[in-house]
Amino acid sequence: MSAHFDLSKEEMKSYGYKIVDLIAEHWDTLESKKPVVSASRKEMDTVFLQEAPGKGMPAEDVLDFVMDNVIPNSIITSHPKSYSFVPEPSNFISTMADSLATGFNIFSGGWMVSPAAAELEIVTMNWLLKMYNFPVEKGGGIFTSGGSMANLTALVTARRLKCGDDFSKAVIYLSDQAHSSNIKAIRVLGFKKEQIRVLPTDLEFRISINKLKNAIAKDRLEGLQPFCYIASAGTTNTGTVDPLNDIADICEEEGLWMHVDGAYGGAAILSDKGAKALRGIERADSLTVDPHKWFYQPYEIGCLLVKDASWLSNTFSEKPEYLRDIEGNESEINFYDYGIQLSRRFRALKFYMSIKTYGLDTFKKAVTYNIQLTDDVEKMLRKSRNWEIISPANLAVINFRYNPLGLDLSEPEVDELNQKISKKVMDSREALLVTTVLNKQVVLRMCLINPKTTFKDVEDTFLLCNSFANEILGNK
């Protein structure tokens, strides 16, 4: 490599082919690998911590070092037995599309720099608008880094439209099951703690409509300004969907902005059962969905949809002198006017190429399979004397705990037992299965959105859990 970063064509091809071979081999052997890794900061410092080298080394040697030390020390989130958090199944076409977008270094901020990139974002955004029955002609949206940035973009827009420049008395509402990115976004926007209402959910982890109505009424009587409710369409913990139609009725009556955080569950619209659970989502003012979750895209790609595209452009558009020559007509969208980022990578390409290659029907079948698989797991658990379901199958998420009939374990003992089961599974590296807390109970949680995950994968994992439980109880 020269001082100006040049490689010969032959060197570039040789290096590139090796990387493609490594990726293809990974995809081909995915199921045979163990999904879990663990390393301490001290261990990682021992491997990586060093000063930036003044002189370079052969590219092949650097690649070999990365393959020996970086890749093996990363959890395989696309593994069939990666059940925790929100797995990231991805797909190979989108992976290669990302390589194209990066390799050609396409800027996806303004029309003049890349009209094709802007056009593909318009086209794919229209596909999504139609999926959620948002108005295509008037509506719009933008791809973001993920759900966190999409939620932040939505709340900036909602605050401007509902509150103007003075939001000192504004109040925002969400449930205790809403994703943490919403609280982070609210804090980034400068709202004080007393302007946030985190409302309790019912036994099914859905927002209590009566408590929401009471909170709004109380705040109005105190001279405050209720302006937004953040509804959940598939919570991370349980996959639960808030009663969207009831919430929409309240928001319309009270003049509140309705934002739906469907970062996890929004893609369930592709299945019949998911579409039924998401009824009312089309009534939202803004909607977050996360293609790098259940639309099977690699990191990173989130999305915000709005009923009126001008809400975004009027909120984020700035006209500095150095951009005056690249402003087109109104139909030629500059996506840096629709959100926070000026510099934007070409995220739309992978979504476009994967839908074009596989067809939307393939995505629908995969989502439907995921939901059915989780329903089948629930049926299996209900026939067991050892397992207790705490939150039933909802949009491919299920929560349960080991609590055998006849042992009469105390709640602290059950909590400790399930925490230990999770640790032993993780230590075995056979599956990624961690705990969460529901109703003050430590539970195990599975999120089954990977179309590679089979019922046998899940059965084998429960056999492993059972064996560890017997070992733990036998040692008492």
Side-chain angles (χ1 to χ4, degrees), residues 90-150:
S90 188
N91 73 82
F92 187 75
I93 295 297
S94 289
T95 302
M96 293 296 101
D98 252 357
S99 300
L100 277 175
T102 302
F104 284 89
N105 202 24
I106 296 174
F107 174 79
S108 189
W111 183 277
M112 179 181 175
V113 181
S114 180
E119 179 66 17
L120 285 194
E121 190 152 355
I122 293 169
V123 168
T124 49
M125 209 56 63
N126 287 346
W127 292 350
L128 288 163
L129 289 167
K130 288 179 181 178
M131 283 183 203
Y132 296 98
N133 201 23
F134 272 40
V136 174
E137 292 297 323
K138 191 175 183 181
I142 184 171
F143 286 125
T144 63
S145 58
S148 296
M149 187 57 72

Side-chain angles (χ1 to χ4, degrees), residues 23-146:
I23 295 172
E25 180 70 16
H26 169 69
W27 278 83
D28 188 54
T29 60
L30 192 64
E31 288 88 342
S32 66
K33 299 177 180 180
K34 292 182 184 293
V36 179
V37 299
S38 178
S40 68
R41 174 64 186 270
K42 183 178 181 181
E43 289 170 327
M44 291 293 92
D45 281 351
T46 301
V47 176
F48 297 109
L49 192 60
Q50 56 186 272
E51 296 297 322
K55 295 185 181 297
M57 58 190 292
E60 298 270 349
D61 292 349
V62 177
L63 178 58
D64 290 343
F65 177 82
V66 167
M67 292 306 301
D68 290 341
N69 297 285
V70 177
I71 303 302
N73 282 302
S74 302
I75 282 178
I76 305 175
T77 59
S78 51
H79 193 280
K81 291 184 179 179
S82 178
Y83 306 118
S84 296
F85 315 116
V86 179
E88 195 275 307
S90 188
N91 73 82
F92 187 75
I93 295 297
S94 289
T95 302
M96 293 296 101
D98 252 357
S99 300
L100 277 175
T102 302
F104 284 89
N105 202 24
I106 296 174
F107 174 79
S108 189
W111 183 277
M112 179 181 175
V113 181
S114 180
E119 179 66 17
L120 285 194
E121 190 152 355
I122 293 169
V123 168
T124 49
M125 209 56 63
N126 287 346
W127 292 350
L128 288 163
L129 289 167
K130 288 179 181 178
M131 283 183 203
Y132 296 98
N133 201 23
F134 272 40
V136 174
E137 292 297 323
K138 191 175 183 181
I142 184 171
F143 286 125
T144 63
S145 58

Side-chain angles (χ1 to χ4, degrees), residues 185-342:
I186 292 166
R187 288 175 177 166
V188 167
L189 290 176
F191 287 99
K192 298 176 182 178
K193 186 176 181 181
E194 53 266 28
Q195 292 178 277
I196 307 168
R197 303 286 181 268
V198 180
L199 303 176
T201 49
D202 59 23
L203 293 177
E204 295 180 344
F205 306 101
R206 290 155 48 106
I207 187 66
S208 166
I209 292 298
N210 184 56
K211 288 178 181 176
L212 174 59
K213 287 181 176 180
N214 288 344
I216 293 171
K218 180 182 178 184
D219 287 331
R220 288 208 188 279
L221 289 170
E222 292 182 354
L224 299 175
Q225 182 190 2
F227 86 99
C228 178
Y229 179 75
I230 303 172
S232 296
T235 62
T236 302
N237 251 357
T238 64
T240 302
V241 180
D242 279 336
L244 300 178
N245 272 315
D246 291 340
I247 291 167
D249 289 342
I250 294 171
C251 289
E252 289 175 8
E253 182 179 342
E254 297 285 351
L256 271 63
W257 182 281
M258 180 180 174
H259 175 61
V260 173
D261 182 358
Y264 169 67
I269 198 85
L270 294 178
S271 75
D272 290 340
K273 188 170 184 178
K276 184 177 179 181
L278 294 173
R279 282 176 182 167
I281 200 168
E282 72 283 352
R283 298 176 65 186
D285 295 296
S286 56
L287 167 65
T288 289
V289 293
D290 241 2
H292 65 214
K293 291 186 173 72
W294 214 351
F295 278 105
Y296 311 111
Q297 302 298 308
Y299 293 121
E300 53 184 38
I301 177 172
C303 178
L304 173 67
L305 302 175
V306 293
K307 287 284 182 62
D308 188 333
S310 69
W311 296 342
L312 295 177
S313 58
N314 290 338
T315 300
F316 294 101
S317 179
E318 295 290 339
K319 305 295 180 185
E321 292 81 359
Y322 52 81
L323 294 180
R324 68 187 182 89
D325 287 338
I326 66 172
E327 295 301 322
N329 63 48
E330 290 185 2
S331 68
E332 297 172 354
I333 296 174
N334 296 310
F335 278 96
Y336 54 62
D337 285 335
Y338 276 39
I340 295 166
Q341 285 184 281
L342 174 58

